[in-house]
């Protein structure tokens, strides 16, 4: 019997896990756990502060400081025990409500909500869409202006003025020639500057075209993938309407993927639908007894200066595990029948199994713990909010292990039929 979980079931499983996590965050157990963790952290900080204070205190105050440090140490370990007990209480609450956790949830899966729409990121090269600014015009330096030297006075003033004028005119001529040469280069420099700008702008346009093409290809690939998945969804919906075996199996996989169990008690499902018989064969793999929590309580023992644990009795461990097996069986039947609004599945044959180390052989072996078969009409008359799971399974003539915790297997050689 092949394990069935397609892309639709995986999407639904992830969505259900996220929903359960949001719900768990609002529970009283989670609040108690968070408060205990905060108290523990605060007590630890106080202990460290007290220890630091004790180290700084003068010898005359060492005794009082040591006593305060001891009190802070005790408080830290008490808070640690409370934090551990909060975690434990959360696990116990989860295990005791495996069936109740699903009764207020509509297990029907609206497959149309699985239809996808392609989501594209923003174009990453928007910078290339902005034209490059034109270069600033090249300006020539100001034209040199001739300044007449001031007239000289005295016997030789006229001659000196003439010499100064000649020198000034020569210097002006030289400066003007340099300026003219510089000005003559400006048109060529402006042309080169314009050509560089045009080349850079052309390069920008080429890069923009390439980036847009790559972006369009990526968007097209996303659109094609979404289109392919939606086409698969359309095929699935048509198959489901036609009671196609594979489609019904995929729908059941969606339903079971939506059933998120606690982290301390994960389960796996395998199933097969027989369309002519309208019968679903289901196998639920549950954790082995050896993986179950065995601690009853954490307690700080001051005399020993440590947090000690009290273990659950063997009877309590057996009862808790057996109760979990019974709840899982009824929960699975309920979720499938409730989700199947059109009544495509008339009978469910269910097997609950686990695998663990055989203490006699030392090898890991599969152990069948519970088997039951029930028809839709009978099961839907039950009010599961008021039942004792053990009694419900007895009414259904289920085959149940006499000692699931001890891995006592049931006899399935004759099969179980609804």
């Amino acid at each position: 019997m092949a394990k069935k979980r397609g892309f639709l079931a995986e999407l639904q499983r992830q969505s259900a896990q996220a929903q359960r996590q949001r719900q768990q965050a609002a529970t009283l157990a989670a609040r108690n756990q968070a408060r205990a963790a905060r108290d523990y952290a605060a007590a630890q900080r106080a202990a460290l502060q007290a220890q630091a204070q004790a180290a700084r205190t003068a010898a005359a105050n060492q005794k009082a400081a040591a006593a305060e440090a001891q009190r802070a140490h005790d408080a830290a370990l008490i808070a640690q025990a409370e934090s551990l007990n909060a975690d434990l209480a959360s696990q116990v609450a989860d295990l005791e409500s495996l069936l109740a956790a699903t009764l207020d949830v509509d297990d029907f899966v609206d497959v149309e909500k699985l239809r996808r729409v392609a989501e594209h990121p923003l174009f990453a090269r928007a910078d290339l869409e902005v034209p490059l600014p034109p270069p600033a015009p090249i300006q020539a330096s100001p034209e040199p202006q001739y300044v007449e030297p001031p007239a000289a006075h005295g016997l030789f003033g006229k001659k000196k003025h003439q010499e100064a004028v000649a020198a000034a005119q020569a210097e002006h001529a030289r400066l003007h020639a340099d300026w003219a040469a510089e000005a003559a280069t400006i048109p060529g420099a402006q042309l080169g500057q314009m050509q560089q700008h045009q080349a850079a702008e052309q390069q920008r346009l080429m890069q923009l075209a390439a980036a847009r093409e790559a972006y369009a290809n990526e968007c097209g690939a996303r659109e094609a993938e979404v289109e392919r998945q939606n086409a698969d969804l359309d095929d699935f919906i048509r198959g489901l309407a036609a009671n196609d075996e594979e489609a019904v199996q995929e729908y059941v996989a969606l339903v079971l993927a939506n059933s998120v169990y606690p982290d301390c008690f994960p389960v796996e499902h395998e199933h097969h639908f027989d369309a002519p018989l309208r019968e679903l064969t289901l196998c639920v793999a549950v954790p082995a007894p050896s993986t179950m929590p065995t601690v009853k309580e954490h307690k700080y023992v001051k005399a020993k200066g440590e947090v000690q644990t009290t273990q659950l009795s063997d009877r309590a461990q057996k009862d808790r595990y057996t109760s979990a097996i019974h709840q899982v069986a009824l929960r699975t039947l309920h979720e499938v029948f409730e989700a199947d609004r059109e009544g495509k599945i008339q009978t469910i044959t269910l097997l609950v199994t686990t695998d663990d180390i055989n203490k006699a052989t030392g090898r890991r072996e599969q152990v069948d713990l519970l088997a039951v078969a029930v028809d839709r009409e009978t099961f839907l008359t039950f009010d599961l909010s008021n039942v004792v799971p053990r009694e419900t399974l007895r009414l259904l003539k289920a085959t149940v292990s006499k000692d699931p915790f001890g891995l006592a297997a049931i006899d399935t050689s004759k099969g179980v039929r609804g």
Side-chain angles (χ1 to χ4, degrees):
M1 182 165 52
K3 183 176 179 180
K4 187 71 177 177
R5 178 180 289 170
F7 79 95
L8 298 175
E10 181 61 23
L11 289 174
Q12 194 72 0
R13 183 185 69 83
Q14 295 175 2
S15 175
Q17 284 180 325
Q19 178 63 21
R20 174 177 171 79
Q21 289 169 355
R22 288 191 293 271
Q23 292 171 345
Q24 285 182 328
T27 63
L28 178 60
R31 290 197 299 270
N32 290 339
Q33 180 180 354
R35 184 172 61 253
R38 288 195 299 271
D39 291 345
Y40 175 36
Q44 280 188 316
R45 289 195 297 271
L48 292 174
Q49 291 172 357
Q51 289 172 354
Q53 181 63 33
R56 293 191 297 267
T57 303
N61 298 324
Q62 282 296 314
K63 185 174 181 180
E68 178 58 28
Q70 182 62 47
R71 283 193 294 272
H73 175 72
D74 293 341
L77 291 183
I78 290 172
Q80 179 186 13
E82 291 175 351
S83 176
L84 292 171
N85 284 332
D87 290 340
L88 190 60
S90 178
Q91 285 188 342
V92 172
D94 284 339
L95 291 172
E96 290 179 348
S97 62
L98 291 175
L99 175 58
T102 193
L103 298 182
D104 292 332
V105 178
D106 185 358
D107 296 299
F108 172 74
V109 178
D110 184 356
V111 296
E112 278 293 343
K113 291 183 178 180
L114 299 177
R115 196 171 298 281
R116 297 186 59 198
V117 176
E119 297 181 358
H120 305 300
L122 295 175
F123 180 52
R125 294 306 310 272
D127 58 303
L128 293 174
E129 295 178 326
V130 181
L132 297 175
I138 300 176
Q139 299 291 338
S141 57
E143 181 179 1
Q145 299 298 317
Y146 173 72
V147 178
E148 181 79 13
H153 299 285
L155 182 62
F156 301 102
K158 183 176 181 180
K159 182 178 181 181
K160 290 181 179 179
H161 180 257
Q162 291 174 343
E163 291 174 349
V165 168
Q169 289 176 343
E171 179 63 15
H172 173 68
R174 185 186 66 79
L175 293 176
H176 197 276
D178 291 343
W179 172 83
E182 177 189 353
T185 65
I186 289 178
Q190 288 180 332
L191 176 62
Q193 187 181 59
M194 182 180 65
Q195 290 174 337
Q196 289 180 350
H197 175 262
Q198 290 176 342
E201 183 66 6
Q202 185 64 30
Q203 179 67 20
R204 178 190 70 82
L205 293 174
M206 292 174 60
Q207 291 178 338
L208 177 60
R212 282 176 172 170
E213 181 181 6
Y215 178 71
N217 290 339
E218 293 169 359
C219 291
R222 281 187 288 268
E223 293 280 0
E225 175 63 16
V226 168
E227 184 177 349
R228 182 190 66 77
Q229 293 185 359
N230 287 338
D232 289 345
L233 179 61
D234 290 334
D235 291 342
F236 168 57
I237 292 173
R238 286 191 291 269
L240 197 59
N243 294 331
D244 175 72
E245 283 190 358
E246 185 174 350
V248 174
Q249 288 181 173
E250 179 68 19
Y251 180 75
V252 172
L254 286 170
V255 174
L256 297 177
N258 214 19
S259 178
V260 179
Y261 280 77
D263 292 339
C264 62
F265 200 85
V267 305
E268 294 289 341
H269 303 89
E270 294 182 358
H271 59 279
H272 175 74
F273 177 63
D274 188 322
L277 295 178
R278 300 175 70 182
E279 179 180 53
L280 181 71
T281 302
L282 245 171
C283 179
V284 185
V286 299
S290 60
T291 67
M292 300 299 292
T294 62
V295 176
K296 179 181 180 181
E297 183 184 21
H298 301 274
K299 185 177 181 180
Y300 172 54
V301 181
K302 185 175 181 179
K304 295 187 177 181
E306 62 183 23
V307 175
Q308 295 185 340
T309 59
T310 302
Q311 297 295 314
L312 280 170
S313 67
D314 290 345
R315 170 52 59 188
Q317 292 184 51
K318 290 180 179 180
D319 290 346
R320 181 179 293 175
Y321 188 73
T322 300
S323 172
I325 300 303
H326 294 169
Q327 291 183 74
V328 167
L330 295 185
R331 170 173 170 162
T332 306
L333 294 171
H334 164 78
E335 289 171 340
V336 174
F337 277 136
E338 182 178 68
D340 179 25
R341 290 182 179 176
E342 297 182 5
K344 299 179 183 297
I345 300 169
Q346 286 300 304
T347 306
I348 297 178
T349 299
L350 182 140
L351 179 68
V352 178
T353 185
T354 190
D355 67 273
D356 207 345
I357 300 297
N358 186 314
K359 294 181 180 179
T361 65
R363 290 196 294 263
R364 182 169 291 278
E365 297 178 3
Q366 178 175 309
V367 182
D368 298 331
L369 301 175
L370 186 153
V372 63
V374 63
D375 64 274
R376 176 186 183 86
E377 183 178 359
T378 298
F379 192 81
L380 291 183
T381 63
F382 298 161
D383 181 359
L384 296 181
S385 63
N386 293 321
V387 303
V388 175
R390 178 185 66 253
E391 297 304 322
T392 305
L393 292 168
R394 184 177 297 168
L395 176 64
L396 295 176
K397 295 181 171 53
T399 303
V400 183
S401 169
K402 294 181 179 179
D403 182 11
F405 192 80
L407 298 175
I410 60 174
D411 181 9
T412 57
S413 60
K414 297 181 179 180
V416 180
R417 300 291 298 176

